[in-house]
Amino acid sequence: MNTKTKEYTSIQESNNFIDKVIQTDLREYPDITVHTRFPPEPNGYLHIGHAKSILLNFSLATQYKGICNLRFDDTNPDRENQEFINAIIEDVSWLLETDNFVIHYASDYFSTYLACARLLIDKGLAYVDFSSPEEVRLNRGTPTQQGIESTYRSTSIEENKRLFEKMVVGSYDDGECILRAKIDMAHPNIVMRDPPIYRIKKTSHPRQKDAWKIYPMYDFAHCLGDAMDNVTHSLCTLEFENNRPLYDWFLENTGHRRPFPKQTEFGRLSLNETVLSKRKLKRLVDEQKIDGWDDPRIYTLCGMRRRGFTPTGIRAFCKEIGTSRSNSQIAVQRLEECVRQELNMSATRVMCVLDPILLRITNYPEGQSEVFEVPNNPEDPSAGTHNVDFSGVLYIEREDGMVNAPKKYYRFSLGKEVRLKYAYYVTCTKIHQDENGDITSIEAVYDPQSRGGWTDDKRRVMGTVHWVSCQKARHCKVRKFNPLFTHEHPETLGEEFIDYLNKESIVLYEHSMIEEFAYKLADDVHLQFLRKGYCYKDKVQSTDSCTMYNITVSLKDSLKNRIFMS
């Protein structure tokens, strides 16, 4: 039995058109307890579009001191399994930052659904149809052409009762017949033209195992499940708008009392640069175009979690885009900016050199080293400090040196003075190159009076670079992600979306060097690599000897890697 949900940690309050619906209902029925639900089908992993629905449903329950539960609509065993159920529970808990919610399953109500189907047959409102699936589809007509009644529509109630019981015990093969509601084959809404209620599936169910030979259709089970859960407000996306009359018809004709659960539709979320269709995501996984459902390049919640997106950032994004009556196409940069703002306030700063070359400070005392105390997060003084080791031989970024530098190049070139972050001013004296002209190392001299990155004479040094000491640096690998597709709107491409995969969606830095302090941090600590981006440990690809970091988002949004084919 449900208990009222008093609070879900850190969920924003809603403020949208659905509020007006609820407030109107509360004036008419002041004694009801607002009850919502998030009802996923366990046939895939959740994505950012589901996050919007999760937060909407749980936020409304919080706002109105009501109830929200997670209910699995597990009525199609062909596509469902325990892996998906476990993943959904984990994702919802992660996003809400709590496991304080009730879990229900549609399959727990299978006996009640069966009783409701028998009731419809007894009332002459359902019949067993042996037409082929193609005949059923064609005979339902089109939006401009009414349907054609099945020859089985006039079967007697007693005969339908007998035939249905044979379906229940498995006397027929899969697809041989279905149970249909008897509504109106001339109805202007095709959904109301005798929709199927039950089909035969001799398939083992993830939870019910082999107890059932027939399974209810989604439209039939969904509304009845809402009623049995005492849901007051059934929130769904716009593609279910045409199904609302059927939702109400099933409730009215199976003996449920008013007020029924009220179905209200809102616009679904779509992101550019990616696909959110479960079917398309599954194809990417099945054809091994990506590394799995948790690949950091896709926007499943587990993929986002692995990449380093935070629940707080995702909640801020969903609050910013709001809830409306129309579908929305949102730029992924808006999501990234919400996460970037959150990580700017919380991420621990460390120095990591992605593509290292050596910097030798020739006048630094040989064998000497020292320690600098640096802030963990300048935005949060309470985050404390840590020590970083300095020596005469450092790693710096390859891109921070140039032989024939233009006038306004402020990093390492001959004669240029550069600030080493937190440490000293150094002046480039020599650049070493290989036979291909690539820089292999740089020599410089330092000013001992510039400790901490400033001098009494207050001379102006334009360039500042990060570094790590060769004596204490640790090897790591870093992955930077570009868009998975070369088309800005791959969701619109139909099945051809697979032809637009970006071969350069991952840039791997295999020889990166990071300050030792980072290796001492917990796995779930979010980092900012100075000058590079916000990063997170990849727990799947890290090993005891080498950590893999994923760049979650850059420090600033850039269009550099967002050039798409038309």
Side-chain angles (χ1 to χ4, degrees):
M1 186 172 181
N2 280 343
T3 57
K4 285 193 179 182
T5 298
K6 296 300 183 184
E7 182 179 1
Y8 293 96
T9 305
S10 301
I11 303 177
Q12 71 277 0
E13 284 194 356
S14 62
N15 184 18
N16 51 64
F17 73 95
I18 298 176
D19 282 302
K20 297 179 181 178
V21 172
I22 294 176
Q23 289 161 15
T24 298
D25 292 339
L26 288 174
R27 285 193 291 271
E28 185 175 358
Y29 303 102
D31 294 331
I32 66 171
T33 296
V34 172
H35 190 152
T36 60
R37 81 289 175 268
F38 173 62
E41 298 174 73
N43 58 5
Y45 282 65
L46 302 182
H47 54 63
I48 185 64
H50 295 112
K52 176 181 177 180
S53 179
I54 294 167
L55 294 172
L56 175 63
N57 279 285
F58 279 89
S59 295
L60 287 166
T62 299
Q63 183 173 337
Y64 291 99
K65 295 181 173 57
I67 302 165
C68 184
N69 52 267
L70 168 63
R71 187 185 75 233
F72 288 97
D73 280 342
D74 54 340
T75 59
N76 188 2
D78 285 345
R79 299 180 181 180
E80 300 163 355
N81 60 53
Q82 192 63 42
E83 173 192 351
F84 295 141
I85 292 172
N86 295 342
I88 289 170
I89 294 172
E90 181 180 6
D91 285 344
V92 173
S93 298
W94 173 74
L95 182 64
L96 300 179
E97 296 188 287
T98 181
D99 56 4
N100 180 32
F101 49 83
V102 178
I103 300 175
H104 289 181
Y105 296 87
S107 56
D108 289 338
Y109 305 137
F110 276 177
S111 295
T112 305
Y113 300 151
L114 190 65
C116 289
R118 287 170 172 151
L119 176 61
L120 290 177
I121 295 172
D122 286 340
K123 296 169 69 173
L125 295 177
Y127 61 97
V128 176
D129 193 337
F130 289 85
S131 302
S132 69
E134 181 66 12
E135 288 173 329
V136 171
R137 186 186 66 81
L138 290 175
N139 289 342
R140 293 186 80 182
T142 68
T144 58
Q145 183 179 12
Q146 70 180 38
I148 300 172
E149 292 186 358
S150 167
T151 55
Y152 300 95
R153 201 173 193 267
S154 59
T155 303
S156 70
I157 291 176
E158 290 304 314
E159 179 65 5
N160 277 315
K161 290 168 67 174
R162 186 184 70 82
L163 294 173
F164 184 61
E165 295 309 317
K166 292 184 67 175
M167 287 179 60
V168 172
V169 298
S171 298
Y172 302 116
D173 293 331
D174 286 14
E176 189 172 348
C177 58
I178 58 174
L179 181 70
R180 297 176 69 177
K182 186 188 290 188
I183 304 179
D184 182 0
M185 291 301 291
H187 200 287
N189 184 347
I190 293 179
V191 171
M192 300 295 286
R193 296 177 187 173
D194 291 11
I197 298 177
Y198 266 94
R199 78 285 212 199
I200 301 167
K201 280 185 180 291
K202 297 179 181 178
T203 304
S204 182
H205 188 276
R207 300 183 70 251
Q208 300 289 334
K209 305 307 178 185
D210 298 318
W212 297 90
K213 304 296 187 295
I214 63 171
Y215 291 93
M217 301 299 291
Y218 177 86
D219 281 337
F220 184 62
H222 183 73
C223 61
L224 297 178
D226 283 347
M228 284 179 274
D229 280 346
N230 296 314
V231 167
T232 58
H233 295 86
S234 173
L235 310 181
C236 57
T237 47
L238 283 173
E239 65 264 34
F240 292 99
E241 185 173 14
N242 284 341
N243 297 59
R244 194 196 315 158
L246 181 59
Y247 183 101
D248 292 341
W249 188 92
F250 279 138
L251 292 175
E252 180 133 19
N253 288 283
T254 52
H256 290 87
R257 296 181 179 179
R258 292 185 181 275
F260 297 151
K262 176 176 286 188
Q263 178 175 309
T264 304
E265 304 84 19
F266 62 92
R268 70 185 308 162
L269 166 64
S270 296
L271 286 181
N272 67 344
E273 302 186 10
T274 191
V275 295
L276 296 181
S277 160
K278 276 187 185 178
R279 183 178 54 79
K280 290 179 178 178
L281 289 170
K282 186 175 186 299
R283 182 179 174 190
L284 289 172
V285 173
D286 291 346
E287 296 183 14
Q288 299 183 342
K289 302 295 185 182
I290 56 177
D291 294 336
W293 288 98
D294 66 344
D295 191 301
R297 293 169 293 175
I298 60 175
Y299 290 85
T300 55
L301 293 187
C302 58
M304 296 170 73
R305 180 166 63 250
R306 182 177 170 189
R307 181 164 169 168
F309 284 77
T310 63
T312 304
I314 294 172
R315 292 198 296 265
F317 168 70
C318 291
K319 180 179 181 180
E320 178 185 297
I321 64 174
T323 303
S324 69
R325 294 180 184 274
S326 58
N327 292 328
S328 55
Q329 181 74 36
I330 305 296
V332 71
Q333 292 94 322
R334 292 181 65 181
L335 169 61
E336 291 178 351
E337 181 58 25
C338 288
V339 174
R340 185 181 291 116
Q341 290 178 11
E342 196 266 323
L343 290 176
N344 181 52
M345 302 303 297
S346 62
T348 300
R349 272 56 166 174
V350 298
M351 292 191 287
C352 179
V353 177
L354 304 187
D355 185 16
I357 59 172
L358 290 179
L359 171 67
R360 291 185 173 89
I361 304 174
T362 57
N363 65 332
Y364 193 84
E366 187 175 353
Q368 180 175 308
S369 65
E370 56 188 305
V371 171
F372 291 92
E373 184 179 12
V374 302
N376 288 333
N377 188 330
E379 304 293 332
D380 179 12
S382 68
T385 62
H386 71 275
N387 292 333
V388 59
D389 296 279
F390 182 87
S391 64
V393 185
L394 310 172
Y395 291 115
I396 62 170
E397 294 286 357
R398 186 179 304 277
E399 66 180 14
D400 284 340
M402 185 177 292
V403 176
N404 300 309
K407 183 177 180 180
K408 292 188 176 182
Y409 182 79
Y410 298 121
R411 287 168 282 175
F412 286 100
S413 62
L414 288 176
K416 285 285 181 69
E417 189 171 42
V418 179
R419 177 189 292 105
L420 296 176
K421 183 73 172 176
Y422 304 127
Y424 292 103
Y425 294 166
V426 295
T427 301
C428 178
T429 58
K430 192 171 185 178
I431 297 178
H432 298 272
Q433 298 171 271
D434 61 18
E435 63 275 10
N436 297 318
D438 295 328
I439 296 175
T440 57
S441 64
I442 293 175
E443 293 181 11
V445 295
Y446 86 117
D447 178 359
Q449 303 302 313
S450 63
R451 193 178 197 279
W454 61 277
T455 57
D456 290 338
D457 63 11
K458 299 181 181 179
R459 66 181 183 269
R460 191 177 185 188
V461 176
M462 298 295 292
T464 300
V465 302
H466 63 286
W467 50 272
V468 291
S469 170
C470 291
Q471 290 184 4
K472 292 294 183 73
R474 300 287 296 269
H475 171 231
C476 68
K477 297 180 181 181
V478 179
R479 294 194 297 178
K480 181 177 74 172
F481 302 105
N482 296 322
L484 181 59
F485 297 94
T486 58
H487 194 289
E488 188 172 5
H489 302 292
E491 195 78 81
T492 66
L493 298 175
E495 294 307 309
E496 295 181 1
F497 83 99
I498 206 80
D499 299 328
Y500 289 81
L501 288 169
N502 181 7
K503 296 179 181 179
E504 299 178 355
S505 59
I506 296 180
V507 178
L508 175 63
Y509 298 92
E510 295 192 75
H511 307 291
S512 302
M513 305 300 293
I514 193 169
E515 60 176 279
E516 189 176 39
F517 168 71
Y519 262 65
K520 300 176 182 179
L521 297 172
D523 289 350
D524 59 351
V525 173
H526 294 265
L527 304 176
Q528 184 198 105
F529 288 174
L530 295 187
R531 300 176 63 220
K532 292 302 175 182
Y534 296 99
C535 301
Y536 194 65
K537 180 178 179 178
D538 191 311
K539 301 177 183 65
V540 176
Q541 296 205 358
S542 292
T543 65
D544 291 340
S545 60
C546 183
T547 297
M548 172 73 81
Y549 292 100
N550 294 324
I551 296 183
T552 307
V553 292
S554 60
L555 297 181
K556 294 182 180 180
D557 182 47
S558 171
L559 296 177
K560 181 178 180 181
N561 294 310
R562 298 185 186 277
I563 306 301
F564 300 96
M565 302 190 321
S566 59

